[in-house]
Amino acid sequence: KAGVTQTPRYLIKTRGQQVTLSCSPISGHRSVSWYQQTPGQGLQFLFEYFSETQRNKGNFPGRFSGRQFSNSRSEMNVSTLELGDSALYLCASSSGDRGSPLHFGNGTRLTVT
Amino acid sequence: AQKVTQAQTEISVVEKEDVTLDCVYETRDTTYYLFWYKQPPSGELVFLIRRNSFDEQNEISGRYSWNFQKSTSSFNFTITASQVVDSAVYFCALSEAFNSGNEKLTFGTGTRLTIIP
């Protein structure tokens, strides 16, 4: 069974630009979550999608948005990039049941200059 | 608010030694789940174990064992006879319940484990 696939692996963007990250979940998984990992803040929850609906959202500004498609694939968008958005963005999929473990992808490392 | 504390920032041990990674959590939920994840240098978080709040049985999987003690809100992880491949950052995480079903994970700050050959 293929794991969670994130593309691209690396991105370099300039302040003010926008970026879209992509995530393909494990086949059969209906829930996709996104996390931001930085040295200073650690791992922080961004949002979770289940059956194309955002089910939960973390404490991030509206510049961070996402969506999920009917095939469960998900995209995350960050607009008006700031230097502080430089991070490893991790996508995880699960069955969506309470307590089901998250299975993470390799992440997309975003650098904002 | 939920909180996970991993007080050990970095640990180094010589290969074949045993090592225990500590995890202490805070939650007001009566039903919750605890997890351990491993993050090797490649970046992905690898799921190791899940434990729910009603199951205090300790678990052993090969060289790995976990000790869950609700009375002290701890969920510690022990690696026996450590190997160089165990070198990674290890995260403890706690689920937070939402009415809508699945939940977000609150992660600890991680413990960087280095196994010295």
Side-chain angles (χ1 to χ4, degrees), chain B residues 7-21:
Chain B
Q8 305 151 308
T9 306
E10 294 191 34
I11 300 176
S12 294
V13 299
V14 176
E15 196 172 18
K16 297 183 185 175
E17 286 186 352
D18 299 347
V19 58
T20 295
L21 309 183

Side-chain angles (χ1 to χ4, degrees), chain B residues 20-94:
Chain B
T20 295
L21 309 183
D22 298 333
C23 173
V24 174
Y25 62 92
E26 295 175 30
T27 181
R28 285 180 291 184
D29 289 346
T30 54
T31 303
Y32 53 89
Y33 291 83
L34 293 161
F35 302 82
W36 275 96
Y37 283 87
K38 173 182 179 181
Q39 187 175 41
S42 53
E44 84 277 21
L45 284 162
V46 178
F47 165 69
L48 294 178
I49 191 171
R50 174 189 65 181
R51 175 66 68 226
N52 76 51
S53 52
F54 295 108
D55 181 4
E56 288 195 68
Q57 267 193 324
N58 292 328
E59 181 154 340
I60 298 175
S61 176
R63 298 184 296 106
Y64 295 171
S65 63
W66 291 269
N67 181 266
F68 175 35
Q69 292 199 348
K70 219 168 169 178
S71 60
T72 56
S73 296
S74 65
F75 186 41
N76 297 336
F77 173 30
T78 297
I79 300 174
T80 304
S82 59
Q83 299 176 2
V84 172
V85 293
D86 296 327
S87 296
V89 181
Y90 290 85
F91 291 93
C92 180
L94 168 69

Side-chain angles (χ1 to χ4, degrees), chain A residues 55-56 98, chain B residues 29 96-103:
Chain A
R55 200 160 62 164
N56 301 310
R98 177 79 213 282
Chain B
D29 289 346
E96 177 177 353
F98 289 104
N99 294 331
S100 52
N102 204 5
E103 66 279 4

Side-chain angles (χ1 to χ4, degrees), chain A residues 10-35:
Chain A
Y10 302 93
L11 266 177
I12 300 175
K13 291 287 186 178
T14 304
R15 262 183 309 178
Q17 288 186 314
Q18 76 163 22
V19 67
T20 299
L21 313 182
S22 181
C23 173
S24 293
I26 290 172
S27 178
H29 283 183
R30 297 167 64 189
S31 169
V32 173
S33 301
W34 290 88
Y35 287 78

Side-chain angles (χ1 to χ4, degrees), chain A residues 23-66:
Chain A
C23 173
S24 293
I26 290 172
S27 178
H29 283 183
R30 297 167 64 189
S31 169
V32 173
S33 301
W34 290 88
Y35 287 78
Q36 181 198 64
Q37 186 177 24
T38 59
Q41 300 298 317
L43 280 152
Q44 293 186 290
F45 172 75
L46 281 156
F47 29 66
E48 184 230 354
Y49 287 86
F50 182 82
S51 293
E52 302 180 65
T53 300
Q54 185 181 86
R55 200 160 62 164
N56 301 310
K57 191 176 190 310
N59 296 323
F60 277 82
R63 299 185 298 106
F64 292 81
S65 63

